[in-house]
Amino acid sequence: MRSIWNGSISFGLVTIPVKTYSATDRTSSVSFVRIHEKDGAQIQYRKICELDGEEVPNEEVGKGYQAPGDDTIVPITDDDLSRLPMPTAKTLSILSFTDPDEIDPLQMDKAYYLGPNGAAATKPYTLLREALEDHRKVAIGKVAMRGRESLAMLRAHDGALVMHTLLWPDQIRPVTGVAPDDVELRENELTLAETLMDSLGELDPAELHDDYREAVEELVAAKLEGEPVAPAAPGTSGAQVIDLTAALEKSVRAARGGGEADAEAESASVTPIRGRKTAKKGEAERGAAKKSGTAAKKATETAPAAAKKAPAKKTASAPKAAGGRAKSASTARKTASAGTSQKSTASKTTSKSAAPKSTASKSATKKATAKKTAAKQTAAKKAGKRSSA
């Protein structure tokens, strides 16, 4: 590992020479180059002077300072910076020791490993590391690296000292207007959330990997081999109504059940809530069905009573007459009466299978049948008298 900065740690009257190494590696992340889509050639960025339009080589590129809101650029040389009173130019000056919780993670910028620079630095280096570990403290100081001064936090990690450069407090933006106001949470929701946190267990760093980088590598390999690119899996819609309690309960069951419940957790994490309009519509349909059932029940109870009364009027016997013709007329009347009875029975059967008719309609039908029967009886009497004469 190559050292990127050499300096020292100032700890009271103790000075510890150190070498600085980059603690992170961003080269493994996905990065793309810009190309000309027409021919696939890579696009180069050249340093062009705005005054004469000519390309400027790297050895002629310097520094300049431009104040905010001002077009004037003031040239600054390395000699100018070297003459500035900056005691932290080659030294990390420790100002205080504090609890790690006192440092806002928003302030953390970059991380560096610090190692002892020479045999004489080994003992004081180890002493500072052990003191930080035993007291569970971090050291706060200032350091100047690469032409600027920064806050720095020093902590013990895995047998070494780690330095985190920190942003200045005025570089952290306020959170005004970001968080929601006055959100009411129920006690069971908080309990379920804490239960879910406990159920998820500890994180194994060895299981963490960059899925996006792997997908890009597979895509590049497929293009090089000339194979078709697999279509992307459809994403889930984010605009869904969430039943928070149900989602938490199912998440807890999935976390406790392990891999077997993963599929259930994915499908059950979002639960639609039945809207008020849907509920009211369901209640209206149930009420209409109840009324229809009551009406049908009443019609069923009324139909048998009407059927009992009807035969009494329709089966009234006609007076007997003397002579053969009178008997024939009587037989004809009986036959007609039987036909009328059959029609009445068919009408009643149709009335039972169809929807119930109104009471007024039934009364009109009964009166019409009675008039027809009386007319037939009168005709039979006249025929009997003519036969006797």
Side-chain angles (χ1 to χ4, degrees):
M1 190 181 296
R2 187 175 63 88
S3 173
I4 61 174
W5 181 80
N6 294 339
S8 61
I9 300 174
S10 175
F11 176 32
L13 297 178
V14 178
T15 301
I16 309 172
V18 292
K19 289 184 176 182
T20 305
Y21 308 90
S22 180
T24 59
D25 182 12
R26 298 179 182 269
T27 58
S28 61
S29 61
V30 175
S31 61
F32 301 98
V33 297
R34 296 188 178 274
I35 63 171
H36 188 194
E37 291 185 351
K38 183 178 180 180
D39 52 22
Q42 186 172 347
I43 297 176
Q44 296 181 355
Y45 292 90
R46 299 180 178 180
K47 300 177 180 69
I48 305 297
C49 178
E50 292 185 355
L51 187 60
D52 55 19
E54 304 239 347
E55 184 177 356
V56 180
N58 288 332
E59 57 271 15
E60 295 182 10
V61 176
K63 298 184 182 70
Y65 179 80
Q66 183 178 8
D70 191 354
D71 294 336
T72 304
I73 299 177
V74 179
I76 302 294
T77 65
D78 292 337
D79 292 337
D80 295 333
L81 295 175
S82 63
R83 288 193 293 267
L84 292 177
M86 188 180 295
T88 60
K90 287 290 183 179
T91 304
L92 192 161
S93 300
I94 295 178
L95 304 176
S96 65
F97 295 88
T98 184
D99 294 330
D101 296 338
E102 297 294 327
I103 305 301
D104 191 343
L106 286 174
Q107 289 186 256
M108 294 187 181
D109 191 9
K110 296 181 180 179
Y112 302 90
Y113 291 135
L114 299 182
N117 188 4
T122 303
K123 188 171 184 179
Y125 178 94
T126 305
L127 176 64
L128 179 58
R129 184 199 65 199
E130 293 294 328
L132 291 174
E133 285 185 348
D134 291 344
H135 287 273
R136 296 181 181 178
K137 298 284 186 178
V138 295
I140 303 298
K142 292 193 297 183
V143 64
M145 292 178 63
R146 297 179 177 178
R148 66 185 62 189
E149 188 177 54
S150 303
L151 281 175
M153 181 185 74
L154 203 63
R155 67 184 180 96
H157 171 73
D158 200 14
L161 290 176
V162 178
M163 180 181 69
H164 295 269
T165 55
L166 304 178
L167 301 175
W168 296 97
D170 60 357
Q171 292 179 311
I172 305 299
R173 294 178 177 178
V175 74
T176 306
V178 176
D181 299 329
D182 300 331
V183 177
E184 184 178 354
L185 296 177
R186 292 178 291 183
E187 186 65 27
N188 64 326
E189 292 172 344
L190 289 173
T191 303
L192 285 170
E194 293 173 358
T195 304
L196 177 59
M197 293 168 63
D198 295 337
S199 301
L200 289 176
E202 297 181 357
L203 180 65
D204 184 5
E207 297 180 357
L208 300 177
H209 58 277
D210 190 347
D211 293 329
Y212 181 72
R213 183 182 67 187
E214 293 179 359
V216 171
E217 291 172 353
E218 292 177 1
L219 172 64
V220 172
K223 283 183 170 289
L224 289 175
E225 296 293 334
E227 299 177 356
V229 180
T236 57
S237 175
Q240 300 186 39
V241 179
I242 298 177
D243 184 348
L244 185 57
T245 303
L248 286 171
E249 290 175 350
K250 292 176 181 178
S251 298
V252 170
R253 289 198 294 269
R256 289 177 175 174
E260 297 179 356
D262 286 346
E264 180 185 355
E266 291 178 1
S267 61
S269 60
V270 177
T271 305
I273 301 175
R274 178 178 295 176
R276 293 183 178 179
K277 292 183 179 180
T278 307
K280 288 182 179 179
K281 184 178 179 182
E283 292 177 1
E285 291 178 352
R286 288 195 297 271
K290 186 176 181 181
K291 290 181 180 179
S292 177
T294 304
K297 185 177 180 182
K298 289 182 179 179
T300 305
E301 292 176 352
T302 307
K308 289 180 180 179
K309 292 180 181 179
K313 293 183 179 180
K314 293 179 181 179
T315 56
S317 58
K320 293 182 180 181
R325 291 184 180 178
K327 290 182 179 180
S328 300
S330 177
T331 303
R333 286 197 302 273
K334 288 180 180 180
T335 304
S337 178
T340 305
S341 177
Q342 290 176 357
K343 291 180 181 180
S344 176
T345 304
S347 176
K348 288 188 288 182
T349 304
T350 306
S351 176
K352 288 183 181 181
S353 61
K357 295 183 178 180
S358 63
T359 306
S361 177
K362 289 181 179 180
S363 299
T365 304
K366 291 178 183 179
K367 289 180 181 180
T369 305
K371 287 181 180 181
K372 289 180 180 180
T373 305
K376 289 180 180 180
Q377 290 176 354
T378 303
K381 287 181 181 181
K382 290 180 180 181
K385 287 180 179 179
R386 285 196 298 268
S387 176
S388 299

